[in-house]
Amino acid sequence: MALVAVLLPPVLLGALLALGWYEELMLGPPRRRGRHLRLVLDPVEEPAPAAPAEAAPARRHAA
């Protein structure tokens, strides 16, 4: 039991520091090493043409 009490905190601290280092590595700026993925933007779409207005307004039948 004493061995676990002595060794467990440094192991947990090391794991915590390793996870912090890994997070910084993943979230940091990309490093330029050979091939890497690039973001490809969507092509710019032209605005859709407006629907043609009806020549004559809709007529209602009198009831």
Side-chain angles (χ1 to χ4, degrees):
M1 277 310 256
L3 188 63
V4 172
V6 171
L7 293 179
L8 189 60
V11 170
L12 291 177
L13 181 60
L16 185 66
L17 291 174
L19 286 175
W21 172 80
Y22 180 72
E23 180 184 17
E24 290 296 322
L25 180 68
M26 290 294 113
L27 296 178
R31 295 180 181 170
R32 303 287 179 181
R33 290 185 286 166
R35 298 179 69 187
H36 61 278
L37 298 176
R38 291 187 215 164
L39 175 66
V40 178
L41 300 177
D42 292 334
V44 177
E45 295 181 13
E46 296 181 10
E54 294 181 15
R59 298 182 185 183
R60 294 186 180 183
H61 297 283

Short mmCIF file of all heavy atoms in Angstrom, two decimals:
data_model
loop_
_atom_site.label_atom_id
_atom_site.label_comp_id
_atom_site.label_asym_id
_atom_site.label_seq_id
_atom_site.Cartn_x
_atom_site.Cartn_y
_atom_site.Cartn_z
N MET A 1 0.82 -1.20 0.00
CA MET A 1 0.00 0.00 0.00
C MET A 1 0.85 1.25 0.00
O MET A 1 0.51 2.22 -0.68
CB MET A 1 -0.91 0.02 1.24
CG MET A 1 -2.20 -0.77 1.14
SD MET A 1 -3.12 -0.42 -0.33
CE MET A 1 -4.41 0.57 0.29
N ALA A 2 1.92 1.23 0.75
CA ALA A 2 2.78 2.42 0.82
C ALA A 2 3.44 2.68 -0.54
O ALA A 2 3.63 3.83 -0.93
CB ALA A 2 3.84 2.24 1.89
N LEU A 3 3.75 1.60 -1.25
CA LEU A 3 4.36 1.74 -2.56
C LEU A 3 3.40 2.43 -3.54
O LEU A 3 3.81 3.32 -4.31
CB LEU A 3 4.77 0.37 -3.10
CG LEU A 3 5.59 0.36 -4.39
CD1 LEU A 3 6.93 1.06 -4.16
CD2 LEU A 3 5.81 -1.06 -4.85
N VAL A 4 2.13 2.08 -3.48
CA VAL A 4 1.11 2.72 -4.34
C VAL A 4 0.96 4.19 -3.95
O VAL A 4 0.86 5.06 -4.82
CB VAL A 4 -0.24 1.97 -4.22
CG1 VAL A 4 -1.35 2.74 -4.92
CG2 VAL A 4 -0.12 0.58 -4.79
N ALA A 5 0.96 4.47 -2.65
CA ALA A 5 0.82 5.85 -2.19
C ALA A 5 2.01 6.71 -2.60
O ALA A 5 1.87 7.91 -2.80
CB ALA A 5 0.65 5.87 -0.67
N VAL A 6 3.15 6.12 -2.77
CA VAL A 6 4.36 6.86 -3.15
C VAL A 6 4.46 7.01 -4.66
O VAL A 6 4.86 8.05 -5.17
CB VAL A 6 5.62 6.17 -2.57
CG1 VAL A 6 6.88 6.78 -3.13
CG2 VAL A 6 5.60 6.24 -1.06
N LEU A 7 4.09 5.97 -5.41
CA LEU A 7 4.27 5.99 -6.86
C LEU A 7 3.09 6.56 -7.64
O LEU A 7 3.27 7.08 -8.73
CB LEU A 7 4.57 4.58 -7.36
CG LEU A 7 5.90 3.99 -6.92
CD1 LEU A 7 6.04 2.59 -7.48
CD2 LEU A 7 7.05 4.87 -7.37
N LEU A 8 1.89 6.46 -7.13
CA LEU A 8 0.71 6.89 -7.87
C LEU A 8 0.69 8.40 -8.16
O LEU A 8 0.42 8.79 -9.30
CB LEU A 8 -0.56 6.46 -7.14
CG LEU A 8 -1.86 6.66 -7.91
CD1 LEU A 8 -1.86 5.90 -9.21
CD2 LEU A 8 -3.05 6.26 -7.06
N PRO A 9 0.94 9.29 -7.21
CA PRO A 9 0.90 10.73 -7.53
C PRO A 9 1.89 11.15 -8.63
O PRO A 9 1.49 11.90 -9.53
CB PRO A 9 1.21 11.40 -6.19
CG PRO A 9 0.75 10.42 -5.17
CD PRO A 9 1.06 9.07 -5.76
N PRO A 10 3.15 10.71 -8.63
CA PRO A 10 4.02 11.11 -9.73
C PRO A 10 3.57 10.56 -11.09
O PRO A 10 3.71 11.22 -12.11
CB PRO A 10 5.38 10.54 -9.35
CG PRO A 10 5.34 10.33 -7.89
CD PRO A 10 3.91 10.04 -7.57
N VAL A 11 3.01 9.36 -11.10
CA VAL A 11 2.51 8.79 -12.36
C VAL A 11 1.34 9.61 -12.86
O VAL A 11 1.25 9.94 -14.06
CB VAL A 11 2.12 7.31 -12.16
CG1 VAL A 11 1.37 6.78 -13.36
CG2 VAL A 11 3.36 6.48 -11.88
N LEU A 12 0.42 9.97 -11.98
CA LEU A 12 -0.71 10.80 -12.39
C LEU A 12 -0.26 12.18 -12.85
O LEU A 12 -0.80 12.74 -13.81
CB LEU A 12 -1.72 10.91 -11.25
CG LEU A 12 -2.48 9.64 -10.90
CD1 LEU A 12 -3.39 9.89 -9.71
CD2 LEU A 12 -3.27 9.14 -12.09
N LEU A 13 0.71 12.76 -12.18
CA LEU A 13 1.24 14.06 -12.59
C LEU A 13 1.89 13.97 -13.96
O LEU A 13 1.70 14.84 -14.81
CB LEU A 13 2.25 14.57 -11.56
CG LEU A 13 2.88 15.93 -11.85
CD1 LEU A 13 1.83 17.01 -11.92
CD2 LEU A 13 3.93 16.25 -10.80
N GLY A 14 2.65 12.92 -14.19
CA GLY A 14 3.27 12.72 -15.51
C GLY A 14 2.22 12.56 -16.60
O GLY A 14 2.36 13.11 -17.70
N ALA A 15 1.15 11.82 -16.32
CA ALA A 15 0.07 11.66 -17.30
C ALA A 15 -0.61 12.99 -17.57
O ALA A 15 -0.93 13.31 -18.72
CB ALA A 15 -0.93 10.64 -16.78
N LEU A 16 -0.82 13.78 -16.55
CA LEU A 16 -1.44 15.09 -16.72
C LEU A 16 -0.57 16.01 -17.57
O LEU A 16 -1.06 16.70 -18.46
CB LEU A 16 -1.71 15.72 -15.35
CG LEU A 16 -2.46 17.04 -15.33
CD1 LEU A 16 -3.88 16.84 -15.83
CD2 LEU A 16 -2.47 17.62 -13.94
N LEU A 17 0.73 16.02 -17.30
CA LEU A 17 1.64 16.84 -18.10
C LEU A 17 1.72 16.36 -19.54
O LEU A 17 1.78 17.16 -20.47
CB LEU A 17 3.03 16.85 -17.46
CG LEU A 17 3.13 17.59 -16.12
CD1 LEU A 17 4.52 17.39 -15.52
CD2 LEU A 17 2.81 19.05 -16.28
N ALA A 18 1.69 15.05 -19.75
CA ALA A 18 1.73 14.50 -21.11
C ALA A 18 0.47 14.88 -21.88
O ALA A 18 0.54 15.24 -23.06
CB ALA A 18 1.89 12.99 -21.06
N LEU A 19 -0.68 14.84 -21.23
CA LEU A 19 -1.92 15.24 -21.90
C LEU A 19 -1.92 16.73 -22.23
O LEU A 19 -2.40 17.15 -23.28
CB LEU A 19 -3.13 14.90 -21.03
CG LEU A 19 -3.49 13.42 -20.97
CD1 LEU A 19 -4.62 13.20 -19.97
CD2 LEU A 19 -3.89 12.90 -22.33
N GLY A 20 -1.38 17.55 -21.34
CA GLY A 20 -1.26 18.98 -21.63
C GLY A 20 -0.34 19.25 -22.80
O GLY A 20 -0.64 20.08 -23.66
N TRP A 21 0.77 18.53 -22.87
CA TRP A 21 1.71 18.69 -23.98
C TRP A 21 1.04 18.26 -25.29
O TRP A 21 1.17 18.92 -26.31
CB TRP A 21 2.96 17.85 -23.73
CG TRP A 21 3.89 17.80 -24.89
CD1 TRP A 21 4.77 18.75 -25.25
CD2 TRP A 21 3.99 16.75 -25.86
NE1 TRP A 21 5.44 18.35 -26.39
CE2 TRP A 21 4.97 17.13 -26.78
CE3 TRP A 21 3.34 15.53 -26.02
CZ2 TRP A 21 5.31 16.33 -27.86
CZ3 TRP A 21 3.68 14.74 -27.10
CH2 TRP A 21 4.67 15.14 -28.00
N TYR A 22 0.31 17.15 -25.24
CA TYR A 22 -0.38 16.65 -26.42
C TYR A 22 -1.43 17.65 -26.91
O TYR A 22 -1.58 17.90 -28.11
CB TYR A 22 -1.02 15.30 -26.12
CG TYR A 22 -1.75 14.70 -27.29
CD1 TYR A 22 -1.06 14.17 -28.37
CD2 TYR A 22 -3.14 14.65 -27.31
CE1 TYR A 22 -1.73 13.61 -29.43
CE2 TYR A 22 -3.81 14.09 -28.38
CZ TYR A 22 -3.10 13.58 -29.44
OH TYR A 22 -3.76 13.03 -30.49
N GLU A 23 -2.17 18.25 -25.98
CA GLU A 23 -3.18 19.24 -26.35
C GLU A 23 -2.53 20.45 -27.02
O GLU A 23 -3.01 20.95 -28.03
CB GLU A 23 -3.95 19.66 -25.11
CG GLU A 23 -5.03 20.68 -25.40
CD GLU A 23 -5.74 21.16 -24.15
OE1 GLU A 23 -5.19 20.97 -23.05
OE2 GLU A 23 -6.82 21.73 -24.29
N GLU A 24 -1.44 20.94 -26.46
CA GLU A 24 -0.73 22.07 -27.06
C GLU A 24 -0.20 21.72 -28.44
O GLU A 24 -0.23 22.53 -29.36
CB GLU A 24 0.43 22.51 -26.16
CG GLU A 24 -0.02 23.18 -24.88
CD GLU A 24 -0.76 24.48 -25.13
OE1 GLU A 24 -0.36 25.23 -26.05
OE2 GLU A 24 -1.74 24.73 -24.41
N LEU A 25 0.25 20.50 -28.61
CA LEU A 25 0.75 20.05 -29.90
C LEU A 25 -0.37 20.02 -30.94
O LEU A 25 -0.19 20.46 -32.07
CB LEU A 25 1.37 18.66 -29.77
CG LEU A 25 1.94 18.04 -31.04
CD1 LEU A 25 3.17 18.81 -31.49
CD2 LEU A 25 2.28 16.59 -30.80
N MET A 26 -1.54 19.55 -30.55
CA MET A 26 -2.65 19.43 -31.48
C MET A 26 -3.30 20.77 -31.79
O MET A 26 -3.74 21.02 -32.90
CB MET A 26 -3.72 18.48 -30.93
CG MET A 26 -3.31 17.05 -30.90
SD MET A 26 -3.09 16.38 -32.54
CE MET A 26 -1.34 16.10 -32.57
N LEU A 27 -3.37 21.67 -30.82
CA LEU A 27 -4.06 22.94 -31.01
C LEU A 27 -3.14 24.07 -31.45
O LEU A 27 -3.61 25.14 -31.82
CB LEU A 27 -4.77 23.37 -29.72
CG LEU A 27 -5.89 22.44 -29.26
CD1 LEU A 27 -6.47 22.94 -27.95
CD2 LEU A 27 -6.97 22.32 -30.31
N GLY A 28 -1.85 23.83 -31.42
CA GLY A 28 -0.89 24.88 -31.79
C GLY A 28 -0.87 25.13 -33.29
O GLY A 28 -1.56 24.47 -34.07
N PRO A 29 -0.08 26.10 -33.72
CA PRO A 29 0.02 26.38 -35.15
C PRO A 29 0.64 25.19 -35.89
O PRO A 29 1.47 24.47 -35.34
CB PRO A 29 0.93 27.60 -35.21
CG PRO A 29 1.68 27.60 -33.94
CD PRO A 29 0.79 26.94 -32.93
N PRO A 30 0.22 24.97 -37.14
CA PRO A 30 0.75 23.83 -37.88
C PRO A 30 2.23 24.01 -38.19
O PRO A 30 2.70 25.11 -38.45
CB PRO A 30 -0.08 23.82 -39.16
CG PRO A 30 -0.57 25.20 -39.30
CD PRO A 30 -0.73 25.73 -37.91
N ARG A 31 2.95 22.92 -38.13
CA ARG A 31 4.38 22.96 -38.46
C ARG A 31 4.55 22.58 -39.92
O ARG A 31 3.85 21.71 -40.44
CB ARG A 31 5.14 21.98 -37.59
CG ARG A 31 5.11 22.35 -36.14
CD ARG A 31 5.89 21.36 -35.32
NE ARG A 31 5.82 21.73 -33.92
CZ ARG A 31 6.23 20.97 -32.95
NH1 ARG A 31 6.74 19.79 -33.22
NH2 ARG A 31 6.14 21.37 -31.71
N ARG A 32 5.48 23.21 -40.59
CA ARG A 32 5.73 22.94 -42.01
C ARG A 32 6.71 21.78 -42.13
O ARG A 32 7.91 21.96 -42.03
CB ARG A 32 6.29 24.17 -42.71
CG ARG A 32 5.41 25.38 -42.60
CD ARG A 32 4.21 25.20 -43.49
NE ARG A 32 3.34 26.37 -43.36
CZ ARG A 32 2.21 26.47 -44.00
NH1 ARG A 32 1.80 25.52 -44.78
NH2 ARG A 32 1.47 27.54 -43.84
N ARG A 33 6.17 20.58 -42.27
CA ARG A 33 7.02 19.40 -42.44
C ARG A 33 6.48 18.58 -43.60
O ARG A 33 5.52 17.85 -43.46
CB ARG A 33 6.98 18.52 -41.19
CG ARG A 33 7.67 19.11 -39.99
CD ARG A 33 7.67 18.12 -38.86
NE ARG A 33 6.31 18.04 -38.30
CZ ARG A 33 5.88 17.10 -37.50
NH1 ARG A 33 6.66 16.11 -37.16
NH2 ARG A 33 4.67 17.11 -37.02
N GLY A 34 7.07 18.72 -44.76
CA GLY A 34 6.68 17.88 -45.89
C GLY A 34 5.22 18.05 -46.24
O GLY A 34 4.71 19.15 -46.36
N ARG A 35 4.54 16.93 -46.40
CA ARG A 35 3.13 16.96 -46.78
C ARG A 35 2.27 17.30 -45.57
O ARG A 35 2.50 16.86 -44.46
CB ARG A 35 2.73 15.60 -47.32
CG ARG A 35 3.48 15.21 -48.56
CD ARG A 35 3.08 13.86 -49.05
NE ARG A 35 1.70 13.94 -49.55
CZ ARG A 35 0.99 12.89 -49.93
NH1 ARG A 35 1.51 11.70 -49.86
NH2 ARG A 35 -0.23 13.04 -50.38
N HIS A 36 1.24 18.06 -45.82
CA HIS A 36 0.28 18.38 -44.78
C HIS A 36 -1.07 18.65 -45.43
O HIS A 36 -1.16 18.95 -46.61
CB HIS A 36 0.75 19.57 -43.94
CG HIS A 36 0.92 20.82 -44.75
ND1 HIS A 36 2.06 21.06 -45.47
CD2 HIS A 36 0.10 21.87 -44.97
CE1 HIS A 36 1.93 22.22 -46.10
NE2 HIS A 36 0.76 22.72 -45.82
N LEU A 37 -2.11 18.55 -44.64
CA LEU A 37 -3.46 18.79 -45.15
C LEU A 37 -3.70 20.28 -45.27
O LEU A 37 -3.20 21.08 -44.50
CB LEU A 37 -4.49 18.16 -44.21
CG LEU A 37 -4.40 16.66 -44.05
CD1 LEU A 37 -5.42 16.19 -43.02
CD2 LEU A 37 -4.64 15.97 -45.36
N ARG A 38 -4.49 20.65 -46.25
CA ARG A 38 -4.83 22.05 -46.44
C ARG A 38 -6.35 22.19 -46.45
O ARG A 38 -7.06 21.30 -46.89
CB ARG A 38 -4.30 22.57 -47.77
CG ARG A 38 -2.81 22.66 -47.79
CD ARG A 38 -2.40 23.33 -49.06
NE ARG A 38 -1.15 22.72 -49.50
CZ ARG A 38 -0.65 22.83 -50.69
NH1 ARG A 38 -1.27 23.51 -51.60
NH2 ARG A 38 0.48 22.25 -51.00
N LEU A 39 -6.81 23.34 -46.02
CA LEU A 39 -8.23 23.64 -46.05
C LEU A 39 -8.58 24.11 -47.46
O LEU A 39 -7.95 25.01 -47.99
CB LEU A 39 -8.56 24.74 -45.04
CG LEU A 39 -9.98 25.25 -45.04
CD1 LEU A 39 -10.92 24.13 -44.59
CD2 LEU A 39 -10.12 26.43 -44.13
N VAL A 40 -9.58 23.49 -48.05
CA VAL A 40 -10.04 23.88 -49.38
C VAL A 40 -11.38 24.56 -49.21
O VAL A 40 -12.34 23.95 -48.74
CB VAL A 40 -10.16 22.67 -50.32
CG1 VAL A 40 -10.68 23.08 -51.68
CG2 VAL A 40 -8.83 21.96 -50.44
N LEU A 41 -11.44 25.82 -49.62
CA LEU A 41 -12.67 26.58 -49.46
C LEU A 41 -13.69 26.18 -50.51
O LEU A 41 -13.34 25.75 -51.61
CB LEU A 41 -12.38 28.08 -49.57
CG LEU A 41 -11.40 28.63 -48.54
CD1 LEU A 41 -11.13 30.10 -48.81
CD2 LEU A 41 -11.94 28.46 -47.14
N ASP A 42 -14.97 26.34 -50.18
CA ASP A 42 -16.03 26.08 -51.14
C ASP A 42 -15.97 27.12 -52.25
O ASP A 42 -15.61 28.28 -52.01
CB ASP A 42 -17.40 26.15 -50.46
CG ASP A 42 -17.61 25.01 -49.48
OD1 ASP A 42 -16.98 23.96 -49.69
OD2 ASP A 42 -18.38 25.18 -48.54
N PRO A 43 -16.33 26.74 -53.46
CA PRO A 43 -16.33 27.72 -54.54
C PRO A 43 -17.37 28.80 -54.26
O PRO A 43 -18.42 28.54 -53.67
CB PRO A 43 -16.68 26.91 -55.78
CG PRO A 43 -17.32 25.67 -55.27
CD PRO A 43 -16.74 25.44 -53.91
N VAL A 44 -17.08 29.99 -54.71
CA VAL A 44 -18.00 31.11 -54.50
C VAL A 44 -19.20 30.91 -55.41
O VAL A 44 -19.07 30.76 -56.62
CB VAL A 44 -17.31 32.46 -54.81
CG1 VAL A 44 -18.29 33.59 -54.65
CG2 VAL A 44 -16.09 32.63 -53.94
N GLU A 45 -20.36 30.87 -54.81
CA GLU A 45 -21.57 30.66 -55.59
C GLU A 45 -22.18 32.00 -55.96
O GLU A 45 -22.24 32.92 -55.15
CB GLU A 45 -22.58 29.84 -54.78
CG GLU A 45 -22.11 28.43 -54.49
CD GLU A 45 -23.14 27.64 -53.71
OE1 GLU A 45 -24.29 28.10 -53.62
OE2 GLU A 45 -22.78 26.59 -53.19
N GLU A 46 -22.65 32.09 -57.20
CA GLU A 46 -23.32 33.31 -57.63
C GLU A 46 -24.71 33.31 -57.03
O GLU A 46 -25.33 32.26 -56.88
CB GLU A 46 -23.37 33.36 -59.15
CG GLU A 46 -22.00 33.44 -59.78
CD GLU A 46 -22.09 33.50 -61.29
OE1 GLU A 46 -23.21 33.67 -61.82
OE2 GLU A 46 -21.05 33.38 -61.92
N PRO A 47 -25.24 34.50 -56.71
CA PRO A 47 -26.59 34.53 -56.14
C PRO A 47 -27.61 34.01 -57.16
O PRO A 47 -27.48 34.22 -58.36
CB PRO A 47 -26.81 36.01 -55.83
CG PRO A 47 -25.75 36.75 -56.54
CD PRO A 47 -24.64 35.79 -56.84
N ALA A 48 -28.59 33.30 -56.67
CA ALA A 48 -29.62 32.74 -57.54
C ALA A 48 -30.45 33.87 -58.13
O ALA A 48 -30.74 34.86 -57.45
CB ALA A 48 -30.50 31.79 -56.74
N PRO A 49 -30.84 33.76 -59.39
CA PRO A 49 -31.67 34.82 -59.98
C PRO A 49 -33.01 34.88 -59.28
O PRO A 49 -33.56 33.86 -58.87
CB PRO A 49 -31.79 34.40 -61.44
CG PRO A 49 -31.49 32.94 -61.47
CD PRO A 49 -30.56 32.68 -60.31
N ALA A 50 -33.54 36.09 -59.17
CA ALA A 50 -34.82 36.28 -58.51
C ALA A 50 -35.92 35.65 -59.36
O ALA A 50 -35.84 35.62 -60.58
CB ALA A 50 -35.08 37.76 -58.30
N ALA A 51 -36.94 35.16 -58.70
CA ALA A 51 -38.07 34.55 -59.41
C ALA A 51 -38.77 35.64 -60.21
O ALA A 51 -38.99 36.75 -59.71
CB ALA A 51 -39.02 33.91 -58.43
N PRO A 52 -39.13 35.35 -61.45
CA PRO A 52 -39.80 36.38 -62.26
C PRO A 52 -41.16 36.72 -61.65
O PRO A 52 -41.91 35.85 -61.23
CB PRO A 52 -39.93 35.73 -63.63
CG PRO A 52 -39.82 34.27 -63.40
CD PRO A 52 -38.97 34.11 -62.17
N ALA A 53 -41.44 38.00 -61.61
CA ALA A 53 -42.72 38.45 -61.06
C ALA A 53 -43.83 38.11 -62.05
O ALA A 53 -43.63 38.11 -63.26
CB ALA A 53 -42.67 39.96 -60.81
N GLU A 54 -44.97 37.80 -61.52
CA GLU A 54 -46.10 37.46 -62.38
C GLU A 54 -46.54 38.70 -63.14
O GLU A 54 -46.55 39.81 -62.60
CB GLU A 54 -47.26 36.91 -61.56
CG GLU A 54 -46.95 35.58 -60.90
CD GLU A 54 -48.13 35.07 -60.10
OE1 GLU A 54 -49.25 35.56 -60.27
OE2 GLU A 54 -47.91 34.17 -59.29
N ALA A 55 -46.89 38.52 -64.37
CA ALA A 55 -47.29 39.66 -65.20
C ALA A 55 -48.58 40.28 -64.67
O ALA A 55 -48.70 41.49 -64.61
CB ALA A 55 -47.45 39.22 -66.65
N ALA A 56 -49.54 39.46 -64.33
CA ALA A 56 -50.81 39.98 -63.83
C ALA A 56 -51.02 39.44 -62.41
O ALA A 56 -50.70 38.28 -62.15
CB ALA A 56 -51.96 39.55 -64.72
N PRO A 57 -51.54 40.25 -61.52
CA PRO A 57 -51.78 39.75 -60.15
C PRO A 57 -52.86 38.67 -60.18
O PRO A 57 -53.70 38.63 -61.07
CB PRO A 57 -52.23 40.99 -59.39
CG PRO A 57 -52.71 41.95 -60.43
CD PRO A 57 -51.94 41.64 -61.68
N ALA A 58 -52.82 37.80 -59.22
CA ALA A 58 -53.80 36.72 -59.13
C ALA A 58 -55.18 37.31 -58.90
O ALA A 58 -55.36 38.24 -58.13
CB ALA A 58 -53.43 35.77 -58.00
N ARG A 59 -56.17 36.75 -59.62
CA ARG A 59 -57.56 37.27 -59.50
C ARG A 59 -58.35 36.34 -58.61
O ARG A 59 -58.23 35.13 -58.66
CB ARG A 59 -58.21 37.34 -60.88
CG ARG A 59 -57.49 38.30 -61.79
CD ARG A 59 -58.20 38.38 -63.10
NE ARG A 59 -57.43 39.21 -64.01
CZ ARG A 59 -57.82 39.51 -65.22
NH1 ARG A 59 -58.97 39.04 -65.68
NH2 ARG A 59 -57.09 40.27 -65.99
N ARG A 60 -59.16 36.95 -57.80
CA ARG A 60 -60.02 36.16 -56.92
C ARG A 60 -61.44 36.20 -57.49
O ARG A 60 -61.91 37.20 -57.99
CB ARG A 60 -60.03 36.73 -55.51
CG ARG A 60 -58.67 36.60 -54.84
CD ARG A 60 -58.75 37.04 -53.42
NE ARG A 60 -57.42 36.90 -52.82
CZ ARG A 60 -57.17 37.15 -51.56
NH1 ARG A 60 -58.14 37.57 -50.77
NH2 ARG A 60 -55.98 37.00 -51.07
N HIS A 61 -62.10 35.09 -57.32
CA HIS A 61 -63.49 35.02 -57.78
C HIS A 61 -64.40 35.52 -56.68
O HIS A 61 -64.23 35.18 -55.52
CB HIS A 61 -63.86 33.57 -58.13
CG HIS A 61 -63.05 33.02 -59.26
ND1 HIS A 61 -63.30 33.37 -60.56
CD2 HIS A 61 -61.97 32.17 -59.31
CE1 HIS A 61 -62.44 32.75 -61.35
NE2 HIS A 61 -61.62 32.03 -60.59
N ALA A 62 -65.35 36.34 -57.05
CA ALA A 62 -66.31 36.85 -56.07
C ALA A 62 -67.32 35.74 -55.78
O ALA A 62 -67.84 35.11 -56.67
CB ALA A 62 -67.02 38.08 -56.60
N ALA A 63 -67.59 35.53 -54.53
CA ALA A 63 -68.53 34.47 -54.17
C ALA A 63 -69.88 35.03 -53.86
O ALA A 63 -70.09 36.11 -53.48
CB ALA A 63 -68.01 33.67 -53.01
#
